[in-house]
Amino acid sequence: MIAAADFNITRVERSKLNEMTLENIPFGKYFTDHMLEVDFEDGEWKTVEIKPYQPLLLSPSLAALHYGQAIFEGIKAYKNQLGEAQIFRPFENFKRFNISAERMQMPQIPEEIFMEGMRLLVELDQNWIPQQEDHSLYIRPFMFSSDELIGVRPSDKYKFMIILSPTGPYYSAPMRIYVEEKYVRAVPGGVGYAKAAGNYGGAMFATAQAKKKGYDQVLWTDAYEHKYVQECGTMNVFFIIGDRAITPDIESGTILAGVTRDTTITLLREMGFKVEERPISIDDIVDAYNAGILYEVFGTGTAATISMIKELRYKDFVMNFDVDKWQTAPAIKKAMTDIKEGKVEDVHGWMTRVSS
Ligand SMILES: *Cc1c(COP(=O)(O)O)cnc(C)c1O
């Protein structure tokens, strides 16, 4: 464990906030005044630097650029009604980060560096958390291999960083989705359950093909039979069928265990749904649609929270949904946003205070 004394904080002389407003900012484009940076060398994590946001100077032989040992997380901070900064379920992301690190043969990050480092950084830049509805501060922890050597082997050196990006309002229009039967995102035994950078790069071609056909995203199916649904783009997926809510289980290791997925399961149960985590085939979905009991289909993830699906295309069969009449997806979204923005009591203990 590293004591708080090993955090070295260097503040900016003048905040960039003086030159900008936090209203209507696009996702991922602007960054706050400070960042966190710490190197792993000689088998240990060195002093954590919290310092002015700045470019990195890297060697062209940087291992991560060649062999892809790179992982990340996505978390959000909000201001409650009193203007206090709070982070949504960050400990879940911390645990998942180390699961990703293990799978990519990277060192574990100590809880103190991830959690206390994030808290200190967000506290320092808390003026960057927009107070407006549907706005938030996106937190991006990441780690990559940093040996300067182009031999194929796990690196000896790694860099862990956290950067912060104000964002909002994040509107996600109801999506048209193409059920993918050729390309796959993940395979059993693969890295689908890790938040590895390469999973995103590997998904872009299939997504671009679907976009050419006029769709917003793909619904991934399993690698063996293209029969069981997996995830919708980079979101977990839920189907409301009758009085049940069904989402693919995470046992096979091909699905990213989303924090929003877990949160949604809890909220659905509280709303009276029977939630089933199990394999669900595209045939089951088509049957439910034809029987008139497939009421809603939506994706869940930190960036958009809930994204409704208005059209689902499987081969030549098109399923259309009247999202304006939906009850469940909007209710889940509202329930989650109300907790995050401190409009209702946080009975689950999901919000972590930034300052005491
Ligand atoms: C990040 C991610 C999700 C959503 O996870 P959250 O913790 O809810 O943000 C879902 N699927 C994939 C592939 C992801 O990378």
Side-chain angles (χ1 to χ4, degrees), residues 72-75 88 92-93 96 138 140 185 192-196 199-200 220 231-237 254-264 300-305:
F72 68 97
E73 270 304 328
I75 308 169
F88 184 70
E92 301 305 311
N93 300 84
R96 188 170 71 189
Y138 185 80
R140 168 55 59 89
R185 191 193 82 86
Y193 68 88
K195 225 167 166 71
N199 284 342
Y200 281 67
W220 300 106
E231 299 198 55
C232 181
T234 59
M235 304 183 97
N236 295 115
V237 65
T254 57
I255 287 168
L256 200 288
V259 179
T260 320
R261 173 186 182 276
D262 184 75
T263 307
T264 300
T300 65
T302 295
T305 311

Side-chain angles (χ1 to χ4, degrees), residues 159-345:
K159 198 183 275 296
F160 172 74
M161 301 189 67
I162 306 178
I163 54 177
L164 308 174
S165 177
T167 173
Y170 199 103
Y171 171 72
S172 65
M175 300 183 293
R176 300 181 64 216
I177 301 295
Y178 182 84
V179 179
E180 180 58 58
E181 290 185 277
K182 180 174 180 190
Y183 305 107
V184 293
R185 191 193 82 86
V187 296
V191 297
Y193 68 88
K195 225 167 166 71
N199 284 342
Y200 281 67
M204 287 178 188
F205 183 73
T207 311
Q209 302 286 105
K211 285 203 168 138
K212 273 190 203 155
K213 296 183 191 121
Y215 293 86
D216 299 303
Q217 263 300 348
V218 298
L219 179 63
W220 300 106
T221 54
D222 73 283
Y224 295 141
E225 299 176 84
H226 296 302
K227 186 175 160 190
Y228 295 98
V229 304
Q230 304 270 293
E231 299 198 55
C232 181
T234 59
M235 304 183 97
N236 295 115
V237 65
F238 284 80
F239 301 88
I240 306 293
I241 299 178
D243 63 352
R244 294 170 300 158
I246 305 170
T247 189
D249 62 278
I250 55 177
E251 311 308 324
S252 68
T254 57
I255 287 168
L256 200 288
V259 179
T260 320
R261 173 186 182 276
D262 184 75
T263 307
T264 300
I265 289 172
T266 300
L267 294 174
L268 282 167
R269 289 209 168 110
E270 289 173 5
M271 284 166 65
F273 282 94
K274 295 179 194 133
V275 182
E276 297 175 5
E277 296 177 66
R278 62 164 171 87
I280 176 163
S281 72
I282 190 72
D283 293 333
D284 290 343
I285 293 161
V286 169
D287 287 349
Y289 180 82
N290 285 330
I293 55 168
L294 176 56
Y295 297 131
E296 301 186 22
V297 187
F298 56 88
T300 65
T302 295
T305 311
I306 304 284
S307 278
M308 299 192 281
I309 293 172
K310 67 176 178 185
E311 182 185 325
L312 197 54
R313 180 190 173 134
Y314 175 55
K315 299 186 195 286
D316 288 330
F317 188 69
V318 177
M319 293 170 259
N320 279 301
F321 303 94
D322 191 356
V323 298
D324 294 334
K325 299 217 173 84
W326 285 8
Q327 307 277 321
T328 309
I332 295 286
K333 177 157 189 155
K334 183 173 186 308
M336 233 183 279
T337 307
D338 283 352
I339 294 168
K340 291 168 169 180
E341 295 178 356
K343 290 179 181 157
V344 298
E345 198 195 334

